Amino acid sequence: MSWRSILPGLSLLARYERSWLRADLLAGLTVGAMLVPQSMAYAELAGLPPSAGFLAALLPPVAYALVGSSRHLGVGPEPGTAVLAATGVAALSGADPARYMALMPTLALLVGAIALLGAALRMGFLAQLLSKPVLVGYITGVGMTLLSSQLAKFTGAPVSGEQFFTRAWSFARSLDGVQPATLALSSAGLAMLLALRRWAPKLPGALIVVTLSTLVARLGHLDALGVRLVGTIHGAIPSLSLPALRLADLAALLPTALGIVLVGYTDNVLTARSIAAKRGYPVDANQELAGLGVANLASAIAGGFPVSSSASRTAVPASLGSSTQLVGLVASGFLLATLLLIAPALSMIPQSALAVVIVAAAIAIIDVAGYRWLWGVSRVEFAVAVATALSVMVFDLLTGVLLAVGLSGLVAFARVALPHDAVLTRAEGLDGWVDSDRYQRGTSLPGLLVFRFDAPLFFANSARFRERLEFVLARNPGDEEWVLLDFEGVGAVDATAIEMLAELVRSLREKNIVVAIARANDRALTPLQRAGLVSDGALRVFETINRAVREFEASRTSDGSTGDVSAGKSAGPRVPLRP
């Protein structure tokens, strides 16, 4: 394995073209301007002081720029990851702020180690564990949770609770505590940020709004009217060191780390691929897992918290025409300069301005369009999305992640446990055999049943397979001479399914019914051969359905039948197949 495959970002930078520089510099400065307020806001989401956001934003873009395969992915603090981290660390640290601060880099280190291990084991398929409806529901639940988390800072009212509904109820009971100055400043900032996002998406809207809010608060002395300010921001360059590691802490943080890796990686890959598809370059799923790993390791040694990617910080450089990961290097340089040169000015930022940044991010990720699409495509998957969103809103985000993964697995399991099946018939004007439920005018051959099962045969659906086949046979009792099983959709069989097939074949042979299979691949056929179902003649094997049908027709002729089956008979008696 060459260094170019391990460090694709560095490989691209090594062959950098001068024509790329202008767009990359502009995009890097824009992303850096976005990172300043976002880092501070998302640090507060993680339960840390705003200045801690810089620790998680300085090095991860640099590390990812060397290892990641996406040329545009905006790596750094991200709201969903920050809230997930806060959930896990708060449960372990109790009420000790110093321990809370110390555990965050430990969690980032664990996230990085898990991601790198996953990349080494080629586990890029993890991005497929969350289905579309679960992703829509999860991200919507995160958005609603983020909105509720900012009610206090956005309005100035006292709000308590850790979940969406408890916060909403607390806010409803505290409406008389809303501070007019805070609410007015927040509302104006949010309106401006949403307007900039709509009509000037290439501008660093968050930085513009935070800067203007700070000027208004300063000139209007709004702190005297109850508007709270961020407070002291330390401008020191972070010292680099590994966080203290305790086996008990690592074990306790492991579920949270796994949840962050799963959600963060899925979000990274989906975001990276969507941009890469538009810009015409490939994204390697396993390399993205490695990129997530090194970004979190970089955050850990700087004393930061777990990071992922931001859709806004990915879309903006792409829209500005950037070509390489140099954007991340420039953004980090801008952030460092800001930290060293104007850190004292950052202390005057109103907390409501940072709340506006988070509220705008929450509004952006609430996937209303996704729900509309799911409603039109599948009401079941729409219900799955709603259930996932509610699980995130009712419980904490980590529980929501676990429930979302479990729900994805349950939906997938249900689909293979209760798959589609069909009786196949000949359809006039079509070449081949078709589903009799879809083509009502198809014809079947007297004495022949062609049955298809559209899933691998294994322990969860083997009983279903036999039940459905026997149901079809019962509709024409005593009429069938051959049962031909179309294995094109089966793909594979396990031991439970083989045992079921052996019993089924034995039962049908006692009724003088020949059992054959057609279009079986090696993964399905080899276990049947090893079990002796093929070698002893219990199952007859054919490469195609038509070849089996010709053999069936020949057997009827040799047995003294008329052989006149060319016209067939209506498939109507077997329709509808669904019970």
Side-chain angles (χ1 to χ4, degrees):
M1 182 178 294
S2 67
W3 70 272
R4 295 181 183 275
S5 62
I6 299 174
L7 302 171
L10 181 59
S11 174
L12 181 62
L13 292 174
R15 56 181 192 276
Y16 197 86
E17 297 181 13
R18 182 175 296 180
S19 60
W20 299 341
L21 184 60
R22 182 178 180 278
D24 281 357
L25 285 176
L26 177 60
L29 292 173
T30 304
V31 171
M34 297 171 71
L35 261 176
V36 173
Q38 287 182 356
S39 298
M40 299 170 68
Y42 300 158
E44 291 199 319
L45 276 179
L48 299 167
S51 58
F54 297 118
L55 304 179
L58 280 170
L59 294 184
V62 177
Y64 179 84
L66 304 178
V67 178
S69 63
S70 170
R71 302 175 188 179
H72 298 92
L73 194 68
V75 174
E78 186 270 332
T81 304
V83 177
L84 267 174
T87 301
V89 172
L92 186 59
S93 64
D96 185 351
R99 180 161 166 74
Y100 190 98
M101 290 282 292
L103 285 174
M104 274 296 179
T106 302
L107 178 59
L109 184 69
L110 187 57
V111 169
I114 292 172
L116 286 175
L117 178 61
L121 297 176
R122 312 294 294 174
M123 296 182 70
F125 65 88
L126 283 172
Q128 303 170 17
L129 287 182
L130 296 180
S131 63
K132 173 68 176 180
V134 167
L135 281 171
V136 169
Y138 173 77
I139 201 66
T140 300
V142 170
M144 297 300 291
T145 300
L146 292 178
L147 285 177
S148 70
S149 72
Q150 298 306 300
L151 285 172
K153 293 177 181 177
F154 194 91
T155 66
V159 177
S160 60
E162 298 298 326
Q163 287 78 42
F164 175 84
F165 291 105
T166 56
R167 288 170 179 158
W169 176 244
S170 174
F171 177 68
R173 298 173 61 188
S174 305
L175 290 177
D176 55 348
V178 172
Q179 297 176 352
T182 300
L183 180 60
L185 187 64
S186 301
S187 300
L190 180 61
M192 177 178 288
L193 184 50
L194 294 179
L196 288 172
R197 178 185 293 169
R198 173 69 183 275
W199 288 292
K202 295 181 181 181
L203 295 178
L207 183 64
I208 292 172
V209 168
V210 168
T211 301
L212 290 177
S213 296
T214 303
L215 289 174
V216 170
R218 179 67 173 173
L219 296 175
H221 303 287
L222 296 187
D223 53 332
L225 299 177
V227 175
R228 298 175 183 173
L229 305 181
V230 166
T232 304
I233 297 291
H234 299 289
I237 298 175
S239 58
L240 305 182
S241 62
L242 285 174
L245 300 179
R246 293 174 50 193
L247 187 59
D249 290 342
L250 293 176
L253 290 171
L254 183 60
T256 303
L258 289 171
I260 292 174
V261 170
L262 177 60
V263 174
Y265 173 61
T266 300
D267 187 41
N268 281 16
V269 170
L270 292 177
T271 304
R273 282 178 172 170
S274 66
I275 296 296
K278 296 175 183 177
R279 298 301 299 270
Y281 65 89
V283 166
D284 186 299
N286 286 297
Q287 199 63 35
E288 286 308 296
L289 197 51
L292 178 66
V294 297
N296 276 279
L297 290 183
S299 180
I301 65 174
F305 52 90
V307 298
S308 179
S309 66
S310 163
S312 62
R313 295 199 305 270
T314 301
V316 166
S319 68
L320 292 173
S322 68
S323 300
T324 73
Q325 292 91 326
L326 180 66
V327 170
L329 305 181
V330 175
S332 291
F334 181 92
L335 195 65
L336 180 61
T338 300
L339 186 62
L340 293 177
L341 300 177
I342 61 170
L346 299 178
S347 64
M348 302 303 298
I349 294 174
Q351 289 188 1
S352 61
L354 298 184
V356 165
V357 174
I358 296 172
V359 169
I363 292 173
I365 66 176
I366 295 174
D367 197 354
V368 177
Y371 276 101
R372 285 200 300 263
W373 184 79
L374 287 172
W375 179 262
V377 172
S378 170
R379 304 296 165 84
V380 171
E381 293 193 285
F382 175 85
V384 169
V386 171
T388 303
L390 287 175
S391 71
V392 173
M393 294 163 65
V394 172
F395 307 105
D396 57 67
L397 260 67
L398 180 57
T399 303
V401 170
L402 298 177
L403 289 174
V405 174
L407 197 55
S408 287
L410 184 62
V411 170
F413 189 79
R415 285 175 174 166
V416 295
L418 301 170
H420 175 266
D421 56 74
V423 169
L424 303 185
T425 59
R426 284 173 170 168
E428 184 177 352
L430 295 177
D431 181 21
W433 293 72
V434 296
D435 185 342
S436 63
D437 281 344
R438 292 191 61 196
Y439 297 91
Q440 300 286 329
R441 293 187 296 176
T443 58
S444 59
L445 299 180
L448 174 66
L449 171 68
V450 184
F451 181 75
R452 187 182 72 203
F453 196 71
D454 295 326
L457 264 178
F458 69 121
F459 66 91
N461 62 22
S462 58
R464 169 77 174 180
F465 176 91
R466 181 166 184 172
E467 172 190 320
R468 298 294 296 142
L469 180 58
E470 290 178 342
F471 170 80
V472 175
L473 288 170
R475 301 182 73 86
N476 295 301
D479 289 350
E480 310 301 359
E481 300 170 20
W482 274 44
V483 170
L484 176 59
L485 306 176
D486 179 12
F487 262 39
E488 183 181 37
V490 170
V493 295
D494 72 354
T496 304
I498 291 173
E499 183 180 46
M500 177 275 298
L501 286 172
E503 294 173 356
L504 178 64
V505 168
R506 189 180 308 112
S507 173
L508 294 178
R509 290 181 72 180
E510 291 175 354
K511 300 175 183 178
N512 295 319
I513 297 176
V514 175
V515 184
I517 61 174
R519 302 199 292 185
N521 65 24
D522 287 340
R523 290 183 64 189
L525 189 57
T526 300
L528 297 177
Q529 291 171 333
R530 290 174 178 170
L533 289 177
V534 176
S535 58
D536 67 1
L539 275 173
R540 301 187 64 177
V541 178
F542 298 93
E543 291 78 7
T544 66
I545 293 177
N546 287 333
R547 178 68 185 87
V549 170
R550 288 195 296 272
E551 185 73 15
F552 164 72
E553 292 173 328
S555 69
R556 284 175 59 87
T557 303
S558 64
D559 288 341
S561 304
T562 63
D564 184 14
V565 294
S566 57
K569 65 178 181 180
S570 171
R574 294 187 183 125
V575 180
L577 178 57
R578 307 269 77 77

